[in-house]
Amino acid sequence: MRAVAGLLLLAATVMGGCSAAQPLAEVSASRTTLPLPSGAAVTSHVPGVPVESCDATASLHPSTVSGPAVQAIRQRGRLVVGIDQSTNLLSFRDPVSGELRGFDVDIAREVARDLLGDPTRVEFRLLTSPERISALQDGSVDIVVKAMTITCARAEQIAFSTVYLDAHQRLLVPKDSPIDGPADLAGKRVCSQVDTTSLATVARVAPDATLLAVQNWDDCLVALQQGQTDAVSTDDSILAGMAVQDPNLHLVGPGLEAEPYGIGMNKAREDLVRAVNGTLERIRRDGTWSSLYRKWLNVLGDAPRPPEPRYRD
C-alpha cells in the first residue's frame, strides 16, 4: 500500500490533530444507526496523487559479507521485525495459538533463518502504517514486512529489498452487489485505509465516489458487513484475506494499480539490504517462495512465478 504526502492531511483530520491545514470536506456519515469505526472519516475529496512515474524497485545485489548492521543483529541474537497482526493471510494473530502467522510472517522468518540460523529468532513489533518508515529510520526495527508497496516517495526515505510479491489494487464487494468495476462507483461509498494511496487511486478512477478512510483494514471489513460502505479497495492480497473471512464477499473488476511489495530497511544499512536480497534470491530458487504462496495465497489462484529481481549495481 502506498503512502502519499497528501494523505497526511487526511490522517491529521482523522486523528483530530490541530494542524493549520484546511480540513477535508466532510459529508454525512449517518448511513446506518451503527457508529462508524473509531477514527473513521467520510469525505468526498482526497488530494490528487499522480500515477507513479519512476521505478524504485531496483535494489542492491545480494552479498554474504557481514557488515555492521548484520553483525549487530547476530550479536543481539534476534531479528526485530515491524509487522501487522490484523491482515488475514499476510500477518494475523492465530485465534487458537495466539501466534502471528501469514505470508509476510513466514518471509520474515526466512530472513531470520539465513541471518541467525533459526527462523524462530524473531521479535515481532506491531506497527501501524504511518509508523513503518519512522520505525526504520530511528532503528526501532531492523526490517518491516508489512504489505508495503515500493514507491518513489518511500524510496527517498528508506531502502527496499527486491520485490517479494506483486499485488494489484482491486475492489471487494458483497456477492449481490451491482458493482463490477470502477465505472459502477459513482455515488457509492468506498472504504480504504489512511496513509495509503488506495484512497487516492479510487479518487482518480472514480471521482464521483465518496470515500471512507479508516485506521485498520478490519474496520473496512466491518463497515462493509454493516452496510456502511459499498466497497473496499486495496491490494488484492489484502482483499483476499477479507473474502476468506466472509464468503459473502468477492473481488471484482480489473487491477486499478500495481502494488509491488518490498521489505523496508534503513537506508544506511546497505549490508542488511544485500543480506535480505540474498534470502529472497534463495527462496525464489529453492521453491520456498512458491510453497509459501500456495500455503497462504492460493485463494488468488495458482502460484505465479516469483517476482523477477532487479538490481541497480
Side-chain angles (χ1 to χ4, degrees):
M1 298 159 289
R2 309 179 183 192
V4 288
L7 286 182
L8 291 175
L9 176 58
L10 178 57
T13 301
V14 172
M15 296 305 293
C18 55
S19 170
Q22 292 298 314
L24 296 172
E26 297 209 355
V27 297
S28 173
S30 58
R31 174 170 289 210
T32 73
T33 57
L34 295 171
L36 286 171
S38 176
V42 183
T43 180
S44 57
H45 173 69
V46 166
V49 178
V51 176
E52 288 287 336
S53 59
C54 75
D55 184 4
T57 59
S59 187
L60 301 176
H61 266 97
S63 174
T64 57
V65 176
S66 298
V70 171
Q71 290 173 0
I73 292 169
R74 288 176 174 163
Q75 184 174 11
R76 185 198 305 140
R78 66 188 187 282
L79 178 69
V80 182
V81 178
I83 205 157
D84 183 28
Q85 67 171 351
S86 58
T87 306
N88 194 38
L89 303 183
L90 294 177
S91 52
F92 64 98
R93 187 76 66 180
D94 186 283
V96 176
S97 67
E99 297 293 321
L100 284 170
R101 303 183 67 210
F103 185 81
D104 281 355
V105 173
D106 284 351
I107 291 290
R109 293 194 186 281
E110 290 301 318
V111 175
R113 184 192 303 277
D114 288 345
L115 289 180
L116 298 164
D118 184 345
T120 68
R121 293 172 72 175
V122 179
E123 178 185 335
F124 289 113
R125 294 189 181 174
L126 303 180
L127 300 177
T128 64
S129 291
E131 292 172 337
R132 294 178 296 191
I133 289 177
S134 60
L136 290 168
Q137 291 175 329
D138 67 18
S140 299
V141 299
D142 297 315
I143 66 175
V144 167
V145 192
K146 192 179 182 298
M148 184 157 56
T149 300
I150 302 171
T151 69
C152 301
R154 285 178 177 166
E156 293 179 356
Q157 303 176 76
I158 61 173
F160 280 103
S161 69
T162 54
V163 177
Y164 74 89
L165 182 66
D166 280 317
H168 297 84
Q169 184 174 344
R170 293 183 65 192
L171 297 170
L172 182 74
V173 299
K175 288 183 177 178
D176 60 358
S177 170
I179 297 173
D180 289 323
D184 302 317
L185 295 178
K188 304 296 185 182
R189 185 183 291 179
V190 184
C191 184
S192 199
Q193 188 176 345
V194 168
D195 203 49
T196 72
T197 56
S198 295
L199 284 171
T201 296
V202 174
R204 175 172 57 83
V205 302
D208 295 325
T210 297
L211 308 173
L212 174 63
V214 299
Q215 296 296 304
N216 300 291
W217 290 119
D218 282 350
D219 293 337
C220 274
L221 175 59
V222 172
L224 187 59
Q225 291 170 327
Q226 294 182 165
Q228 296 170 309
T229 189
D230 299 296
V232 178
S233 185
T234 187
D235 310 345
D236 54 1
S237 54
I238 296 173
L239 297 178
M242 297 184 191
V244 168
Q245 291 174 280
D246 188 339
N248 295 311
L249 307 175
H250 69 157
L251 280 71
V252 298
L256 306 180
E257 196 76 73
E259 306 289 347
Y261 288 178
I263 297 172
M265 288 158 280
N266 188 293
K267 288 179 75 73
R269 299 177 178 179
E270 289 192 2
D271 61 317
L272 180 58
V273 177
R274 295 183 188 278
V276 168
N277 282 339
T279 294
L280 295 180
E281 281 279 16
R282 173 182 64 78
I283 66 174
R284 293 185 193 105
R285 184 178 59 251
D286 67 10
T288 299
W289 187 93
S290 296
S291 295
L292 294 180
Y293 190 98
R294 288 192 295 269
K295 177 181 178 181
W296 296 111
L297 301 175
N298 66 315
V299 67
L300 292 173
D302 294 338
R305 292 179 59 84
E308 287 292 329
R310 295 184 62 254
Y311 301 109
R312 64 173 185 265
D313 63 344

